[in-house]
Amino acid sequence: MSAYLQVVWFFTMTVPAYAFFRGAAPERRAAITILVWFLSSPVYDRFFGAPQFYTVDVGHAVMDAMEMTAMAAIALRANRAWPLWAAGAELTAVSGHLAMAIHPAGVTSAYWAVTELPLFLQLLALALGTLAHERRLRRIGPYRDWRSHEPAR
């Protein structure tokens, strides 16, 4: 496994674990969403081949669209700002698939960057959001996870 993949695996396992154990419901749902996407990708690759970045990978485009939908749902409901960054990062990935479908000539490096690098933005948003949640808990105590009228924990 390349050094790059080792870094990706390390952060994609540790940040969601941190969020799951130290965060609240929004952090946990985002952690699960990221892990489901991340762990389903190699399964898909095993059956259909890894993305080559010179043509649209429809399977990964669908998985990214599903993750974007889940992150947007979390962002719209969470009593937090950080999920907007995570949803925006995934929107960037989905936009990369669309850009490749519309104009594939000469964009293979950009396609890789736009569809692969948003994971790091999501992990950064999740880590910083969970840290902010921990600090807020210490400062003000329990508060609502979601924007609905449910009672605080």
Side-chain angles (χ1 to χ4, degrees), residues 15-55:
V15 171
Y18 166 63
F20 195 82
F21 292 108
R22 302 294 294 179
E27 290 79 19
R28 288 186 190 107
R29 287 188 187 175
I32 290 167
T33 299
I34 290 171
L35 285 175
V36 165
W37 173 87
F38 186 74
L39 296 174
S40 65
S41 185
V43 173
Y44 172 84
D45 293 349
R46 189 147 179 91
F47 288 103
F48 299 102
Q52 300 300 311
F53 303 107
Y54 58 82
T55 184

Side-chain angles (χ1 to χ4, degrees), residues 43-101:
V43 173
Y44 172 84
D45 293 349
R46 189 147 179 91
F47 288 103
F48 299 102
Q52 300 300 311
F53 303 107
Y54 58 82
T55 184
V56 175
D57 184 327
V58 176
H60 281 98
V62 169
M63 288 189 299
D64 281 334
M66 291 169 58
E67 183 183 4
M68 182 191 69
T69 302
M71 285 296 190
I74 293 166
L76 290 173
R77 215 172 141 233
N79 189 23
R80 319 266 197 275
W82 72 263
L84 294 169
W85 288 88
E90 196 56 35
L91 177 60
T92 301
V94 171
S95 298
H97 293 293
L98 294 174
M100 186 65 163

